[in-house]
Amino acid sequence: MPELHTAPNLGALYLKAAATGPTRRGGELPDTEYVLRGITIDPAQLAEYNRVCGFGLRDELPITYPHILSFPASVQLMTDKGFPFPLVGLVHVANRIKQDRPLLVTDELSQKVRVADLRPHPKGKQFDVVTETSVDDEVVWRETSTYLRVGKRDENAPQQRRREVEPGAASGTWRVPADIGREYAAVSGDRNPIHLHPLTAKVFGFPKAIAHGMWSKARCLAALEGRLPGAFTVDVDFAKPLLVPSRADFTMRSTGSGWDFALHSRSGKPHLTGSIRR
């Protein structure tokens, strides 16, 4: 269980990913688990993250914030020599976070990050990046981010079932600016070129830059701020990419045990569908 003394340098890791990507030929996932202890919250960075994602300023961390704290370790894992796939080209298809209690700005955190569960997908292979966040050796926050490596079609792979949330009457219509990818990259460190500029997005087959999936998830949760319990689980599936600039309709409905929510294009196609359960 390698221990990281500081968060990995994302700039260096992206350069490594660009240089080593063509050499990745598939195989099994490594069993490496990285550990980073003594993580403290930078109030200025947190305030900027809250601004970009739509959260208010509070003593509690947004449930999505530990994702960006663990992101450098995740990229380290996915650029290590034993990792089977190129980092560039991986598609973030789902994300699940379970929080046992709110994390506070004053908490000192420890995080463990690993990759797991390589399995077939109708469009290739998928796997999970699993993160645990602890306070005083107690795990209070868990995340599973699922990534797809598009490849050879597997007819025997189980069909993927996406949560269905009907558009209905929008709870809100959001204008998503052209620079949201660059703004989120500045606070998260996720500088995938598909998010940064139309020209770099076109290299990877997108007509325009696309918003980060985790920005979309955070923005939806910010719309529910003040109504969320201290302990809950939030699942999302990422569907159609959210091209920017654009407008998107946010829809939510109470289920008794929580909420279902979605972000749709103006044509009604889903960008994101999700659920919150106490």
Side-chain angles (χ1 to χ4, degrees):
M1 188 184 296
E3 186 152 338
L4 301 171
H5 298 292
T6 59
N9 183 302
L10 282 169
L13 290 177
Y14 283 128
L15 290 174
K16 180 182 177 182
T20 62
T23 68
R24 306 294 169 102
R25 293 289 183 264
E28 298 302 312
L29 296 175
D31 59 5
T32 307
E33 181 177 71
Y34 283 121
V35 180
L36 182 61
R37 306 181 196 277
I39 303 168
T40 56
I41 307 304
D42 180 342
Q45 185 200 32
L46 173 62
E48 189 64 5
Y49 175 88
N50 288 341
R51 182 191 67 79
V52 170
C53 296
F55 293 103
L57 295 178
R58 307 174 66 192
D59 292 335
E60 297 177 1
L61 304 183
I63 192 173
T64 49
Y65 191 73
H67 171 86
I68 71 166
L69 299 177
S70 64
F71 186 70
S74 300
V75 176
Q76 176 79 64
L77 278 169
M78 292 188 282
T79 54
D80 280 350
K81 186 176 180 180
F83 189 74
F85 308 120
L87 177 66
V88 176
L90 293 177
V91 182
H92 196 183
V93 294
N95 179 271
R96 181 178 194 267
I97 299 174
K98 180 179 184 291
Q99 176 176 280
D100 294 335
R101 65 128 170 117
L103 294 168
L104 304 177
V105 177
T106 52
D107 284 335
E108 183 175 288
L109 311 177
S110 297
Q111 292 189 312
K112 296 180 181 179
V113 185
R114 59 186 172 89
V115 289
D117 197 15
L118 182 63
R119 57 199 186 274
H121 183 281
K123 295 183 179 180
K125 298 283 187 181
Q126 62 183 338
F127 66 92
D128 298 327
V129 177
V130 180
T131 304
E132 294 182 346
T133 299
S134 301
V135 179
D136 296 329
D137 296 323
E138 178 189 2
V139 177
V140 295
W141 185 97
R142 301 164 181 83
E143 177 187 47
T144 301
S145 279
T146 302
Y147 290 86
L148 167 65
R149 171 60 180 173
V150 177
K152 184 178 179 181
R153 190 174 184 85
D154 189 337
E155 300 294 344
N156 297 317
Q159 293 299 309
Q160 306 299 298
R161 294 185 177 181
R162 182 175 294 123
R163 296 171 187 82
E164 296 295 335
V165 179
E166 294 299 324
S171 305
T173 297
W174 301 337
R175 185 182 66 83
V176 185
D179 63 351
I180 194 61
R182 294 187 291 276
E183 288 213 52
Y184 185 78
V187 297
S188 69
D190 185 350
R191 291 183 170 83
N192 187 320
I194 63 176
H195 303 301
L196 302 182
H197 194 276
L199 293 179
T200 54
K202 285 179 181 178
V203 173
F204 297 95
F206 296 97
K208 296 192 291 185
I210 65 174
H212 294 74
M214 288 303 293
W215 173 84
S216 299
K217 179 174 183 174
R219 182 66 185 86
C220 289
L221 290 169
L224 290 162
E225 193 171 30
R227 286 179 270 186
L228 299 173
F232 66 99
T233 299
V234 54
D235 279 285
V236 299
D237 294 321
F238 301 116
K240 178 182 171 65
L242 177 56
L243 301 174
V244 295
S246 65
R247 291 181 180 271
D249 291 334
F250 173 68
T251 304
M252 65 177 184
R253 65 176 180 224
S254 176
T255 63
S257 60
W259 291 269
D260 288 336
F261 62 94
L263 198 60
H264 288 87
S265 68
R266 303 310 302 276
S267 66
K269 294 181 178 179
H271 295 298
L272 170 156
T273 56
S275 65
I276 294 168
R277 298 293 181 264
R278 296 183 180 88

